[in-house]
Amino acid sequence: QLGVADAIVLELPAMFVQKKYSKMKKYTSVAMSFSFLNHILVGVFVFLILKTLNLDFILIKVLVAFSICSSLYQVYLHHIIINRFMYDFEPVSRARYIIAITRGIIQSLATYLYGLNGFLFIECILYISPILFLRHYGNIKLNLYFRKNILSNLLKTGLPLIIISLIGFFASTVDRWFATASGSIEGMASFSALGFLTTLIIFVPTQTLSIFSQYCREFISKKNKADRKS
């Protein structure tokens, strides 16, 4: 995605407060279209590499299935994002129920009856039903839409976020590499326990703040939502 999905999450709240709902749709449509096309191109590129290397057919089949799944997931994800930021939570929750039922019942049954082929087939079509549901019952229907200036703005915002995330990932794990290289098994166990306790201590206030801010946003946006419907 090159940070496009992260950028749209930052851009939408400001647009919502300013009641620029048409702009929200345009930006999210561009982000969805770019992410969808990007996943398809990457899937095709990797497929050609594996085909050239004459790897096992099963591996290629799995790759194709998950490439289709990840591409459709981008469409699903951006419909979820736009509906969440429009505070239309009902279709979002129902779409997730559809995925849970499909994975838990239909995919399990298909895997039992047809093995890997059944599993991969359901994986390919997993997000089609929730996408159709969101397009029918959601407030906003996204379409394939490209605008160079919008995509440029999203990339300028998103690429630094990706770089920061990568730096943060390596920075958060470098201590574990040092502990693994220089410490004993007992030291690693103590380090892991301490890390778990630290995460637990940080988790509670962080989640409390997140829930509180979410309810504050929802309270403030009620009047805007009423105005939009009227």
Side-chain angles (χ1 to χ4, degrees):
Q1 299 172 349
L2 298 179
V4 168
D6 301 282
I8 202 66
V9 170
L10 293 178
E11 296 284 353
L12 288 181
M15 298 178 192
F16 181 82
V17 171
Q18 298 170 12
K19 301 182 180 181
K20 296 181 178 179
Y21 308 123
S22 177
K23 188 175 181 181
M24 291 176 69
K25 179 179 179 180
K26 288 181 180 180
Y27 267 65
T28 312
S29 293
V30 169
M32 180 194 73
S33 303
F34 176 78
S35 299
F36 176 73
L37 181 61
N38 190 37
H39 275 73
I40 290 178
L41 293 177
V42 170
V44 170
F45 178 72
V46 176
F47 169 78
L48 292 175
I49 292 178
L50 295 180
K51 194 71 174 176
T52 303
L53 296 175
N54 292 322
L55 296 181
D56 188 74
F57 177 72
I58 294 179
L59 179 61
I60 296 176
K61 185 165 58 176
V62 170
L63 170 70
V64 171
F66 281 97
S67 296
I68 295 172
C69 179
S70 64
S71 299
L72 291 175
Y73 174 75
Q74 298 306 313
V75 180
Y76 163 80
L77 173 65
H78 286 82
H79 277 87
I80 290 289
I81 290 174
I82 191 67
N83 279 279
R84 283 187 60 194
F85 279 99
M86 297 293 284
Y87 290 89
D88 196 7
F89 296 116
E90 185 174 352
V92 171
S93 62
R94 292 187 177 181
R96 288 174 175 170
Y97 285 138
I98 294 173
I99 293 177
I101 293 172
T102 304
R103 280 197 185 279
I105 300 177
I106 301 177
Q107 192 169 46
S108 299
L109 183 61
T111 304
Y112 175 76
L113 293 175
Y114 302 104
L116 180 62
N117 289 333
F119 175 85
L120 293 178
F121 175 74
I122 299 300
E123 199 69 21
C124 287
I125 65 173
L126 176 65
Y127 293 104
I128 293 178
S129 295
I131 289 171
L132 295 176
F133 180 86
L134 289 168
R135 289 182 62 82
H136 187 269
Y137 291 100
N139 284 328
I140 291 184
K141 299 175 180 62
L142 302 177
N143 301 305
L144 291 177
Y145 181 79
F146 286 97
R147 284 295 181 274
K148 184 178 179 180
N149 59 329
I150 295 177
L151 180 59
S152 176
N153 290 335
L154 292 174
L155 289 173
K156 287 178 183 177
T157 304
L159 279 175
L161 296 176
I162 292 295
I163 296 173
I164 292 172
S165 297
L166 290 174
I167 294 174
F169 171 76
F170 289 114
S172 65
T173 56
V174 66
D175 53 346
R176 299 177 188 176
W177 289 106
F178 279 113
T180 303
S182 59
S184 62
I185 297 177
E186 293 79 7
M188 276 299 300
S190 300
F191 178 83
S192 299
L194 181 61
F196 174 76
L197 290 175
T198 303
T199 303
L200 187 63
I201 293 171
I202 296 174
F203 176 80
V204 175
T206 302
Q207 291 302 308
T208 302
L209 178 61
S210 176
I211 293 172
F212 177 75
S213 62
Q214 179 68 25
Y215 276 109
C216 286
R217 285 178 57 202
E218 187 171 354
F219 176 78
I220 294 172
S221 68
K222 282 182 178 179
K223 186 176 182 302
N224 290 339
K225 188 174 182 179
D227 294 341
R228 189 171 69 251
K229 288 183 177 181
S230 62

